Amino acid sequence: TNLILFLLRGGVAVFLCETDQHLFSNPITYVQQHHADADLVGYDDAQNPKGKQSKNPIICGGFLFLSPSNRTIALWKKLTDRHSSKKGVKGSEQIMLSTMLKTETKSLHLKLQWLNPEIFRSGK
């Protein structure tokens, strides 16, 4: 979380992707075309098996696009502070981030957008 915060503060957009992802095409191009104005673009880790967005989405911590906006930096700074102080659920950034997005997106005026679940599917 500290490295990501460092990059965002340096004006670098971050694509956070776990190593077990299988990509059939470049997701950066998709995000640039469909989510150019977003601060954070995420994948719903709670989508149903048919690829439909869930009513209570859970951000997938292993597939995120983070814009270096002041709003994203403020959110990531709070996440980093919580993770460092262990004021989270067993230190899981994904659970902490999901909780924070439900409570702080509005106050930070964060432009959170979800990837199309018809295109970005869970491997579950």
Side-chain angles (χ1 to χ4, degrees):
T1 54
N2 286 315
L3 176 60
I4 293 169
L5 182 60
F6 176 80
L7 292 170
L8 291 171
R9 284 181 170 162
V12 177
V14 175
F15 168 39
L16 183 61
C17 180
E18 291 181 344
T19 58
D20 63 349
Q21 296 282 336
H22 187 92
L23 305 173
F24 294 102
S25 62
N26 184 351
I28 296 171
T29 303
Y30 179 87
V31 170
Q32 289 172 335
Q33 292 174 352
H34 299 279
H35 301 283
D37 64 336
D39 295 311
L40 189 149
V41 180
Y43 168 82
D44 179 9
D45 211 24
Q47 68 178 248
N48 71 35
K50 294 183 181 178
K52 301 294 180 192
Q53 185 88 30
S54 65
K55 291 181 178 146
N56 295 307
I58 297 171
I59 196 86
C60 177
F63 201 78
L64 295 172
F65 293 90
L66 304 166
S67 162
S69 70
N70 289 334
R71 294 176 295 268
T72 306
I73 292 168
L75 175 74
W76 208 263
K77 171 79 170 97
K78 287 183 178 191
L79 175 65
T80 302
D81 290 346
R82 286 186 188 175
H83 185 254
S84 296
S85 69
K86 308 291 187 219
K87 289 183 181 174
V89 180
K90 297 184 183 175
S92 168
E93 294 101 325
Q94 178 171 330
I95 295 170
M96 286 183 211
L97 182 59
S98 288
T99 302
M100 289 175 65
L101 289 173
K102 290 176 184 172
T103 61
E104 301 192 32
T105 298
K106 200 173 200 175
S107 67
L108 292 172
H109 305 286
L110 188 76
K111 295 177 186 174
L112 168 64
Q113 296 179 5
W114 296 97
L115 293 167
N116 182 339
E118 296 289 328
I119 298 170
F120 295 88
R121 303 290 295 271
S122 172
K124 295 178 185 175

